[in-house]
C-alpha cells in the first residue's frame, strides 16, 4: 500500500517501511510503502495498493520481510482498495 503520486511510474523503486497483517492496528505510512496482507486495513496515509504480482521484490531483511520493490505496472489512484462497509 502506498500514497499514489504523479511521480510514480513503472520501474519506480520504492522502500517498504513496515508490514501490516489482517487484524493489526492502524499504521501510518510515510513516503514509503507498507506491505499489507489480504484483508488488512489500509494504513493511514495510503490510498492505492500495488499487488505483489505487479512488483518485483529487490530486497528482504533478515526475517524475510520485504524492504524494497520495483513497480512493474502502475495502478490507477485508489486501485485494488476495497472500502469497509
Amino acid at each position: 500500500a502506498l500514497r499514489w503520486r504523479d511521480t510514480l511510474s513503472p520501474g519506480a523503486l520504492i522502500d517498504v517501511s513496515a508490514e501490516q497483517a489482517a487484524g493489526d492496528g492502524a499504521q501510518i505510512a510515510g513516503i514509503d510503502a507498507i506491505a499489507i496482507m489480504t484483508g488488512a486495513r489500509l494504513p493511514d496515509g495510503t490510498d492505492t495498493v500495488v499487488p505483489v504480482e505487479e512488483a518485483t521484490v529487490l530486497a528482504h531483511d533478515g526475517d524475510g520481510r520485504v524492504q524494497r520493490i520495483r513497480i512493474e505496472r502502475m495502478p490507477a489512484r485508489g486501485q485494488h482498495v476495497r472500502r469497509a462497509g
Side-chain angles (χ1 to χ4, degrees):
L2 51 81
R3 179 178 298 129
W4 194 94
R5 51 196 183 272
D6 291 332
T7 58
L8 289 175
S9 63
L13 303 179
I14 307 289
D15 291 327
V16 179
S17 60
E19 189 174 272
Q20 184 163 312
D24 284 354
Q27 294 215 29
I28 299 173
I31 255 181
D32 303 331
I34 293 180
I36 63 171
M37 308 309 143
T38 300
R41 173 187 170 136
L42 195 64
D44 293 343
T46 65
D47 60 9
T48 303
V49 173
V50 177
V52 68
E53 299 85 5
E54 296 178 9
T56 299
V57 175
L58 302 175
H60 292 89
D61 68 11
D63 293 324
R65 292 186 197 113
V66 175
Q67 288 188 311
R68 190 163 177 82
I69 62 170
R70 179 177 56 237
I71 296 174
E72 303 300 343
R73 189 171 359 153
M74 192 59 209
R77 179 179 294 209
Q79 193 167 6
H80 306 296
V81 173
R82 187 161 295 179
R83 303 282 178 205

